[in-house]
Amino acid sequence: MGWPNIFQRGTLLSRFSHHHIVVFLLTFFSYSLLHASRKTFSNVKVSISKQWTPSALNKSVELPVEVWNSNHLFPSAEEATLFLGTLDTIFLFSYAVGLFISGIVGDRLNLRWVLSFGMCSSALVVFVFGTLTEWLHFYSMGLYCCLWIVNGLLQSTGWPCVVAVMGNWFGKAGRGVVFGLWSACASVGNILGACLASSVLQYGYEYAFLVTAAVQFAGGIIIFFGLLVSPEEIGFFIGGPSNMISSAISADLGRQELIQGSSEALATVTGIVDGTGSIGAAVGQYLVSLIQDNLGWMWVFYFFILMTSCTILFISPLIVREISSLTQRRQARILSE
């Protein structure tokens, strides 16, 4: 009974490409980072409570008690702890409301944009909440409540988006195995948050928020540039421009009088165009390494810019001709109406 299951799982894993693995890892760690920032708040509550009350009086600095008290929120640690619990409640309520909104937004916008925006914006809110306010010694219950409401709404973008992306990539077959492994992301995030917070807590709780926010913001940037929300985005990010250009050129040549109406000639032209493109790709691989070895990587990018500019220059007559034809057809349709 055990051997067939092993073989079936091996067959299942063999069907996954490197794109599946990248999507799995990106969504896994993106949601882990969101959970890490939540865990950071839980881990530094004691430090925050002390900082918000006069009991955290720094003995090394001679300050009047009145001045010290005026810079803090609560007269006792118990009241500070109660307010921190209130922030937790506010966060969870806003998070729950945000889940309803994020699901609707995610269905109408690109999931990659929504997830990246949620991660980066949440990181900025966490930074302002825990780091900037402490650096500026600005303590305000109203500000803390508003920031945590916004943070709950922004964090709610994570779960609907990552689940939707995983659903796009992993079909019904193997969902039990894949999602069983992937669902550990929340627990990993809690562990990561605890590790990040404890590593810098000795310098002040504001640095725990700073490190977590920085890592989460970097993760949001990686998501924006690296996550493919569905397999269809591969036909777009890799070969889209090349395919569109080669198709446009082939179609334009197919309208020439010498080969118009001849499917064999059109196929020949298409093969010549694609073959020429493949030769260009082969030559480009050699030129990239040659330029990098002799001039450095910066000149490689200059080479890319030059080649792209040449492409735009050569295809511009076709673009002008197509725009002119489109304008004429539109004017003719307007006149006929």
Side-chain angles (χ1 to χ4, degrees):
M1 296 293 292
W3 286 107
N5 291 333
I6 294 176
F7 290 137
Q8 290 174 1
R9 291 183 182 180
T11 304
L12 174 65
L13 292 175
S14 65
R15 293 205 301 265
F16 295 152
S17 66
H18 70 280
H19 294 293
H20 290 84
I21 298 174
V22 171
V23 168
F24 181 96
L25 293 176
L26 286 178
T27 53
F28 184 95
F29 284 107
S30 63
Y31 196 69
S32 296
L33 292 177
L34 290 172
H35 253 268
S37 67
R38 303 178 204 173
K39 190 63 176 178
T40 299
F41 180 70
S42 302
N43 290 333
V44 301
K45 276 185 177 180
V46 175
S47 299
I48 295 177
S49 178
K50 290 181 179 180
Q51 189 66 16
W52 285 355
T53 57
S55 61
L57 179 61
N58 189 347
K59 303 298 183 181
S60 64
V61 179
E62 295 295 333
L63 290 175
V65 176
E66 295 79 10
V67 175
W68 182 263
N69 289 341
S70 65
N71 292 333
H72 289 73
L73 286 175
F74 304 100
S76 64
E78 290 76 13
E79 294 188 24
T81 302
L82 180 61
F83 179 69
L84 290 172
T86 303
L87 288 179
D88 273 332
T89 303
I90 290 174
F91 174 86
L92 291 175
F93 269 112
S94 62
Y95 181 80
V97 173
L99 286 174
F100 293 98
I101 302 174
S102 299
I104 298 173
V105 173
D107 286 338
R108 287 161 174 76
L109 298 178
N110 190 292
L111 294 170
R112 176 171 56 90
W113 297 349
V114 177
L115 179 58
S116 178
F117 172 79
M119 293 182 66
C120 293
S121 301
S122 174
L124 292 176
V125 171
V126 169
F127 169 75
V128 174
F129 176 91
T131 305
L132 188 61
T133 55
E134 180 59 32
W135 283 349
L136 299 177
H137 298 292
F138 182 79
Y139 308 101
S140 170
M141 289 188 292
L143 176 63
Y144 289 135
C145 290
C146 292
L147 288 174
W148 232 224
I149 289 173
V150 175
N151 189 37
L153 295 174
L154 293 173
Q155 287 245 344
S156 67
T157 60
W159 184 250
C161 289
V162 294
V163 171
V165 172
M166 286 291 292
N168 290 339
W169 279 92
F170 299 91
K172 294 181 179 179
R175 280 190 176 180
V177 177
V178 173
F179 276 84
L181 295 173
W182 182 83
S183 61
C185 57
S187 300
V188 171
N190 292 335
I191 298 172
L192 180 62
C195 293
L196 291 176
S198 61
S199 63
V200 295
L201 191 57
Q202 57 181 328
Y203 305 107
Y205 76 85
E206 63 271 23
Y207 291 98
F209 284 108
L210 175 63
V211 171
T212 304
V215 174
Q216 181 176 314
F217 189 89
I221 298 298
I222 293 174
I223 288 295
F224 181 81
F225 289 103
L227 180 64
L228 300 178
V229 299
S230 66
E232 288 76 15
E233 285 194 352
I234 294 177
F236 182 79
F237 285 104
I238 296 177
S242 174
N243 292 338
M244 286 187 292
I245 292 174
S246 62
S247 299
I249 293 175
S250 299
D252 186 60
L253 290 175
R255 289 197 293 265
Q256 302 301 315
E257 294 181 359
L258 293 176
I259 61 175
Q260 192 170 19
S262 174
S263 59
E264 293 83 2
L266 182 58
T268 301
V269 169
T270 303
I272 293 174
V273 172
D274 288 344
T276 304
S278 299
I279 294 174
V283 174
Q285 293 295 323
Y286 175 75
L287 290 178
V288 166
S289 60
L290 184 64
I291 295 172
Q292 189 272 329
D293 290 338
N294 292 276
L295 300 176
W297 274 112
M298 186 58 67
W299 285 95
V300 173
F301 291 102
Y302 292 155
F303 171 73
F304 290 158
I305 295 173
L306 176 62
M307 293 297 100
T308 303
S309 301
C310 291
T311 302
I312 296 174
L313 178 64
F314 294 147
I315 203 174
S316 57
L318 175 59
I319 297 175
V320 172
R321 192 159 55 247
E322 289 293 329
I323 294 176
S324 177
S325 177
L326 180 63
T327 303
Q328 292 176 0
R329 289 198 300 268
R330 181 174 297 177
Q331 291 176 349
R333 185 173 65 252
I334 294 175
L335 292 175
S336 63
E337 293 176 353

